[in-house]
């Protein structure tokens, strides 16, 4: 099989999509996976893919490298769609599978422990991240022009003629909604809005799904945000802003990663900002660095240099070191990479 690479265009793209649909509809059982710490796009794309395959008569289940996000479990039409993590059932499923489908990443490192479990299986990769130095072998639909992997899953299901069940429609709407930050970011293209429009025609309910994703925070999240806000720092003439999540407060309120949803939008929403950064201490005492940029500023190069990855305007890395030292180092890198001010 061809290595994952940028999707061809025109008739070659049509052929690739046909080949992928054919591969998807020929296999059972199928194991669907996505990147660790799945966001709305990874979770939504995986659920839609598994539901689509199930509708076509396949036994399809999700193997999630990290526990399936509580925030997106409402998308699961059946909680059993996700294989119990690190179980014999999960291992047996991967051994019996005739196909693996990887969504929202092409990087074998980002699917963590699942990578060795699907090694050797015929694989379909559906992704919209810029290809990195390593990619999962397989039949790939990788299109960095897509706002969300969910937009590409939509294209595949459309080519297969549906069906557009409630579970599929909701999951894909949430995929596109979340990866565009609620249709606010630069990746909110006409194509992505057309996909969203089609999903609404097919029954997706924008307000219900908006509330399910963005308006279901526990009070402890605001307690943590209150303390994090005290760390908000604006730097370099207002071009860079960052916030840190105090580990002591995180532990005290019993927060989980789900409680941090949207925190990076705080520095991102500072007027005139070009790069926003969120720093938090992970459970193994490393520092997770989330970077957001307003074009033309780009941050994926910095994330890569730190051992992470992502998109030009949204990227992340996990680095070792003391928080204040990591802040100093990353801010220095960001300032050095800022485009010159014109005019
Ligand atoms: Mn995505």
């Amino acid at each position: 099989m061809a290595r994952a690479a940028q999707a061809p265009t025109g008739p070659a793209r049509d052929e690739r999509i046909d080949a992928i649909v054919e591969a998807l509809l020929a296999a059972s059982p199928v194991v669907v996976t996505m990147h660790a710490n799945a966001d709305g796009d990874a979770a939504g794309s995986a659920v839609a893919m598994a539901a689509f395959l199930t509708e076509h008569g396949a036994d399809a289940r999700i193997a999630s490298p990290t526990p399936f996000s509580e925030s997106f479990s409402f998308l699961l039409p059946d909680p059993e769609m996700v294989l119990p993590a690190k179980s014999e059932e999960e291992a047996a499923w991967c051994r019996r599978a005739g196909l693996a489908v990887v969504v929202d990443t092409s990087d074998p490192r980002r699917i963590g422990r699942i990578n060795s479990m699907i090694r050797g299986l015929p694989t379909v990769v559906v992704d919209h991240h810029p290809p990195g130095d390593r990619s999962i072998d397989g039949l790939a639909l990788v299109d960095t022009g897509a706002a969300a992997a969910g937009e590409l899953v939509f294209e595949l299901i459309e080519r297969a003629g549906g069906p557009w069940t409630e579970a599929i429609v909701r999951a894909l709407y949430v995929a596109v909604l979340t990866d565009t930050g609620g249709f606010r970011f630069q990746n909110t293209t006409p194509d992505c809005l057309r996909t969203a429009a089609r999903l609404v025609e097919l029954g997706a309910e924008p307000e219900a799904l908006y509330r399910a994703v963005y308006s279901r925070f526990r009070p402890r999240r605001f307690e943590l945000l209150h303390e994090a806000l005290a760390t908000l720092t604006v730097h370099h003439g207002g071009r860079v802003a960052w916030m840190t999540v105090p580990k002591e407060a995180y532990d005290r309120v019993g927060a989980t990663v789900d409680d941090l949803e949207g925190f990076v939008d705080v520095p991102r929403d500072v007027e005139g900002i070009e790069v926003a950064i969120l720093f938090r201490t992970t459970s193994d005492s490393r520092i997770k660095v989330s970077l957001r940029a307003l074009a033309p500023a780009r941050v994926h190069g910095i994330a890569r240099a730190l051992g992470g990855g992502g998109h030009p305007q949204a990227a992340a890395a996990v680095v070792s070191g003391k928080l204040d030292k990591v802040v100093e180092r990353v801010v220095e890198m960001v300032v050095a990479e800022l485009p010159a001010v014109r005019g």
Side-chain angles (χ1 to χ4, degrees):
M1 285 204 195
R3 280 185 74 76
Q6 183 70 21
T9 52
R13 181 192 175 97
D14 284 346
E15 270 175 39
R16 178 72 61 91
I17 288 176
D18 285 337
I20 290 175
V21 168
E22 195 180 314
L24 291 173
L25 297 183
S28 184
V30 182
V31 55
V32 179
T33 192
M34 68 295 219
H35 61 75
N37 302 316
D39 53 12
D41 184 28
S45 295
V47 168
M49 179 57 75
F52 161 74
L53 295 167
T54 303
E55 288 295 329
H56 281 273
D59 290 323
R61 294 178 73 185
I62 297 169
S64 186
T66 47
F68 196 88
S69 164
E70 270 175 60
S71 301
F72 298 109
S73 56
F74 77 95
L75 292 175
L76 292 166
D78 173 355
E80 305 231 312
M81 182 180 265
V82 180
L83 290 156
K86 300 179 185 171
S87 64
E88 178 46 36
E89 191 184 2
E90 184 190 57
W93 192 274
C94 293
R95 278 196 302 272
R96 288 199 301 122
L99 180 73
V101 183
V102 181
V103 295
D104 202 29
T105 185
S106 309
D107 187 333
R109 290 161 295 204
R110 293 206 69 208
I111 61 171
R113 64 193 182 84
I114 307 298
N115 188 40
S116 61
M117 297 171 67
I118 63 167
R119 191 166 293 144
L121 285 181
T123 302
V124 164
V125 178
V126 183
D127 187 28
H128 69 133
H129 293 83
D133 58 336
R134 284 167 66 185
S135 50
I136 296 165
D137 283 332
L139 195 51
L141 180 61
V142 177
D143 183 353
T144 55
E151 203 180 323
L152 301 171
V153 174
F154 178 92
E155 207 176 336
L156 293 169
I157 297 178
E158 193 172 45
R159 185 66 61 92
W164 297 112
T165 64
E166 191 186 350
I168 293 172
V169 165
R170 281 157 48 104
L172 292 180
Y173 186 86
V174 166
V176 177
L177 176 75
T178 53
D179 255 22
T180 56
F183 305 113
R184 289 177 301 174
F185 302 152
Q186 214 212 2
N187 61 357
T188 308
T189 59
D191 276 343
C192 132
L193 290 169
R194 272 188 279 272
T195 301
R198 287 275 289 124
L199 289 165
V200 173
E201 283 171 346
L202 292 163
E205 295 178 31
E207 181 163 2
L209 293 171
Y210 162 75
R211 286 205 60 87
V213 173
Y214 295 110
S215 297
R216 56 189 297 279
F217 295 125
R218 286 162 288 227
R220 70 185 189 208
R221 184 246 190 199
F222 295 97
E223 207 177 310
L224 184 60
L225 181 60
H226 174 83
E227 302 211 17
L229 278 171
T231 73
L232 180 64
T233 306
V234 180
H235 182 73
H236 201 61
R239 301 177 71 191
V240 179
W242 70 85
M243 192 167 84
T244 63
V245 179
K247 175 141 177 35
E248 176 276 319
Y250 186 92
D251 294 340
R252 173 164 42 78
V253 307
T256 66
V257 175
D258 286 333
D259 293 308
L260 297 175
E261 178 73 37
F263 272 38
V264 72
D265 291 335
V266 173
R268 196 179 180 282
D269 284 343
V270 177
E271 182 184 26
I273 221 66
E274 290 167 63
V275 174
I277 321 163
L278 181 74
F279 298 93
R280 75 168 173 93
T281 309
T282 64
S283 50
D284 62 353
S285 294
R286 301 206 295 158
I287 310 295
K288 168 93 184 269
V289 184
S290 302
L291 295 144
R292 296 292 181 271
L294 269 68
R298 295 151 74 90
V299 285
H300 65 311
I302 294 168
R304 279 214 191 129
L306 293 168
H311 302 281
Q313 271 78 47
V318 178
V319 297
S320 299
K322 281 183 65 99
L323 181 65
D324 53 345
K325 294 287 171 213
V326 171
V327 170
E328 199 176 301
R329 176 169 159 226
V330 173
V331 170
E332 219 164 79
M333 290 170 80
V334 165
V335 168
E337 290 273 315
L338 278 181
V341 182
R342 276 186 293 269

